[in-house]
Amino acid sequence: MSELSESLDYIIEYEDEKEMLVIVPDKFNPFSIEELRFKKGKDVKIKVIEAEEYAKLIQEKISQEEVLVEEEEETTEEEVDILFQKDSSPAVRLVNTILIKASSVSASDVHFEPYEDETIVRIRMDGVLHDYMKIPPTTYQEVVSRIKVMAKLNVAEKRIPQDGKIRVKIGRKDYDIRVSVVPTVFGERVVLRLLEKTGQLLTLKELGLSPEDEEKVRKLAEKPYGIVLVTGPTGAGKSTTLYAMLLHIRNPRRNIITIEDPVEYQVKGISQIQVNPKVGLTFAQGLRAVLRQDPDIIMVGEIRDSETAEVAVQAALTGHLVLSTVHTNDAPSAITRLKDIGIEPFLIASSVEGIIAQRLVRKICLHCREPYRPDREELRELGLPEGDYTFYKGKGCEHCLGTGYKGRTGIFEVLELDEELKKLINHTQNANDIRNEAKKKGFKTMLEDGIEKILRGITTSSEVLSVVK
């Protein structure tokens, strides 16, 4: 009986006390085979097959791995029986297959979109939705019921939105899956957000910052007090950047407390608080409580109202470093946003030390990347003068599921507020004026950072333009 290796570098086809046979792709990693030989102390024979055939075999093996649903201790016997039973019903198998597929392609979300004659299942991979399968209406009702049972939602209630959570183990990965169910004209629309608990947090070096921007972010994270804001739309990787900054400054001699909605990653050495508006624990209330806990560094998930902003400013002015996020298009606009929600300009100038704006772009697949010469129109859209440039794109292969992209990175702009910019903020909160003044001091916009990554063959011009313009 063949089984998967932990790294997916090989598949164990046969094994006895003395020897083993493993299946590998034509471009296999010889070090992983040597490591296996050393670890097992056996004679390891290899069977080489084409990469495409190997990819299919891997997918087939993954689909046979069992999905185990973890239960809270206080669940009833009846719930445990429902979730742990070896049920072979089509709905159970279908939900398992979809979750396994989402896990195997490192998807962030799964969408179930019901229409009149069918339900379309779409998987978000590297920030882009891809059609995966279609489900007939009769089967879809059972699929929704299965998901609701897993998330402990009311199966009979189909008229109001419901939210829940599933803890699930897929192979060697542990997931917290957030479930959102919303009624539509043709049935209930379901979205699953997959958060891998075993996923590794990124460091500042791994975010995709240019060397000069990385140095600026390090300086901002090491400030003794003040506010540092990360800005961008939903799904731009703001939380990842905040966690990277916390990892950089984490220290046993510092008291670090976070207030989040939800707590996405558990970090050792940092106290994390989950917002709960139902019992009155909002960002503002949590922030007030945290200030009585003698913190050195506070991370607030989002500044979304004047109350939270005022408490954050007071915390910064009384000697605390406050890290948080706001929703604006670029770094200078964050100043305008704070003014709009009611913070006085002199308080903004006194408390804010720096702003990081960011977007996520897909990276070109390294297995099928090829160079090309951009035309005049492409250069014009990027604001580049005519010249001899080499851009890159992915033509699509089995490694990237034919998309030409594999993985994501960030494009950034980092605005440090020096004394001159703070004086300017006292007089005007106009984003254009702040941007123009910052550019005189070497401020690099997200578009400029994106162009650098295009020229280095990391991403494409269409990706950068789609998120910046």
Side-chain angles (χ1 to χ4, degrees):
M1 183 69 182
S2 61
E3 59 176 284
L4 282 173
S5 73
E6 200 162 314
S7 62
L8 304 185
D9 285 332
Y10 52 83
I11 297 169
I12 301 169
E13 178 73 10
Y14 162 80
E15 182 178 6
D16 64 17
E17 291 178 3
K18 293 182 181 178
E19 63 176 21
M20 58 196 305
L21 173 66
V22 297
I23 303 171
V24 294
D26 45 18
K27 292 178 183 175
F28 71 94
N29 181 0
F31 295 109
S32 64
I33 303 302
E34 285 306 315
E35 187 184 356
L36 178 67
R37 189 174 279 126
F38 175 77
K39 201 189 297 181
K40 294 276 191 176
K42 297 177 182 179
D43 182 23
V44 178
K45 295 178 179 176
I46 60 172
K47 175 179 166 187
V48 182
I49 62 174
E50 287 184 7
E52 194 171 344
E53 190 184 341
Y54 183 79
K56 284 179 186 172
L57 194 57
I58 281 279
Q59 188 58 50
E60 189 182 312
K61 298 300 174 194
I62 287 175
S63 67
Q64 289 167 5
E65 289 197 20
E66 190 178 353
V67 177
L68 300 175
V69 179
E70 296 178 1
E71 273 302 304
E72 302 293 338
E73 287 178 14
E74 64 268 19
T75 53
T76 65
E77 190 63 38
E78 186 186 358
E79 285 174 317
V80 172
D81 287 343
I82 290 169
L83 296 170
F84 274 93
Q85 65 188 345
K86 299 292 181 184
D87 197 328
S88 58
S89 70
V92 172
R93 287 203 306 271
L94 193 53
V95 171
N96 286 1
T97 301
I98 292 166
L99 290 177
I100 290 162
K101 179 64 175 178
S103 171
S104 68
V105 298
S106 302
S108 60
D109 303 84
V110 180
H111 291 230
F112 295 81
E113 302 170 7
Y115 299 102
E116 189 172 7
D117 54 349
E118 64 188 7
T119 292
I120 298 173
V121 180
R122 301 204 287 166
I123 292 177
R124 190 179 293 280
M125 191 177 76
D126 293 332
V128 177
L129 282 167
H130 299 273
D131 286 1
Y132 173 50
M133 66 162 62
K134 292 174 181 177
I135 305 173
T138 48
T139 308
Y140 182 59
Q141 291 300 323
E142 294 173 31
V143 167
V144 174
S145 297
R146 169 63 178 166
I147 292 169
K148 283 184 171 181
V149 167
M150 293 172 80
K152 304 183 193 66
L153 300 178
N154 185 345
V155 178
E157 181 56 77
K158 299 180 180 180
R159 300 162 300 173
I160 59 171
Q162 295 187 68
D163 294 307
K165 190 165 82 169
I166 301 169
R167 298 183 68 187
V168 70
K169 185 177 178 68
I170 303 173
R172 296 174 184 88
K173 296 178 181 177
D174 289 307
Y175 288 94
D176 274 335
I177 301 176
R178 276 185 269 150
V179 181
S180 171
V181 183
V182 176
T184 70
V185 176
F186 298 114
E188 290 176 287
R189 190 183 197 279
V190 181
V191 174
L192 309 179
R193 164 64 59 89
L194 280 69
L195 298 168
E196 191 185 339
K197 292 192 289 184
T198 45
Q200 288 291 308
L201 288 170
L202 299 182
T203 63
L204 288 178
K205 199 168 276 297
E206 295 167 327
L207 292 177
L209 289 155
S210 64
E212 56 269 32
D213 280 347
E214 187 187 327
E215 186 55 37
K216 286 179 186 175
V217 173
R218 282 183 195 280
K219 280 186 193 169
L220 290 173
E222 290 163 6
K223 293 269 184 187
Y225 54 82
I227 295 176
V228 178
L229 295 171
V230 182
T231 182
T234 303
K238 300 187 294 295
S239 296
T240 303
T241 299
L242 286 176
Y243 278 114
M245 293 170 78
L246 288 177
L247 286 179
H248 176 64
I249 55 182
R250 183 178 54 171
N251 187 308
R253 292 181 294 278
R254 283 175 165 168
N255 182 17
I256 304 175
I257 304 178
T258 74
I259 310 152
E260 305 171 63
D261 183 23
V263 175
E264 292 186 22
Y265 303 96
Q266 275 117 37
V267 185
K268 197 172 181 181
I270 296 174
S271 299
Q272 296 168 279
I273 298 167
Q274 167 79 51
V275 166
N276 188 353
K278 289 178 184 174
V279 296
L281 181 53
T282 60
F283 279 121
Q285 290 294 338
L287 189 47
R288 282 199 179 91
V290 163
L291 286 171
R292 296 192 287 272
Q293 292 278 317
D294 184 32
D296 297 300
I297 298 153
I298 306 164
M299 192 258 268
V300 185
E302 186 185 343
I303 293 177
R304 56 172 75 144
D305 54 50
S306 58
E307 191 183 4
T308 310
E310 284 166 12
V311 183
V313 167
Q314 289 307 315
L317 295 175
T318 51
H320 305 87
L321 178 64
V322 180
L323 307 177
S324 190
T325 72
V326 290
H327 286 284
T328 61
N329 288 329
D330 56 21
S333 300
I335 303 296
T336 313
R337 172 75 180 137
L338 290 177
K339 170 71 167 55
D340 290 343
I341 60 176
I343 305 301
E344 292 292 338
F346 74 92
L347 289 174
I348 298 171
S350 305
S351 59
V352 179
E353 293 297 323
I355 303 157
I356 304 157
Q358 66 182 78
R359 298 287 189 280
L360 289 179
V361 291
R362 290 182 293 170
K363 293 194 289 187
I364 302 169
C365 174
L366 295 175
H367 293 93
C368 59
R369 186 176 70 171
E370 55 184 19
Y372 73 96
R373 298 277 182 221
D375 58 28
R376 189 179 298 174
E377 179 62 24
E378 196 171 351
L379 294 175
R380 189 185 64 76
E381 284 191 333
L382 290 167
L384 289 173
E386 287 187 33
D388 188 21
Y389 298 94
T390 301
F391 286 6
Y392 297 84
K393 63 183 176 184
K395 62 181 179 181
C397 64
E398 72 271 10
H399 296 279
C400 59
L401 300 181
T403 62
Y405 297 98
K406 183 82 171 169
R408 287 192 290 178
T409 190
I411 57 172
F412 300 86
E413 59 185 38
V414 184
L415 178 63
E416 289 181 295
L417 298 185
D418 60 13
E419 288 307 314
E420 288 179 32
L421 279 171
K422 289 189 175 198
K423 282 178 187 171
L424 177 65
I425 289 166
N426 273 320
H427 295 102
T428 177
Q429 295 77 52
N430 183 287
N432 287 328
D433 294 341
I434 296 166
R435 186 184 299 106
N436 292 335
E437 182 62 32
K439 278 186 173 179
K440 294 175 188 174
K441 302 169 185 296
F443 172 67
K444 185 175 68 180
T445 66
M446 274 185 288
L447 178 60
E448 289 166 337
D449 188 41
I451 289 168
E452 282 185 17
K453 288 182 168 75
I454 292 167
L455 295 172
R456 285 166 55 199
I458 295 170
T459 190
T460 62
S461 60
S462 59
E463 274 295 291
V464 170
L465 290 168
S466 69
V467 299
V468 175
K469 291 196 173 184

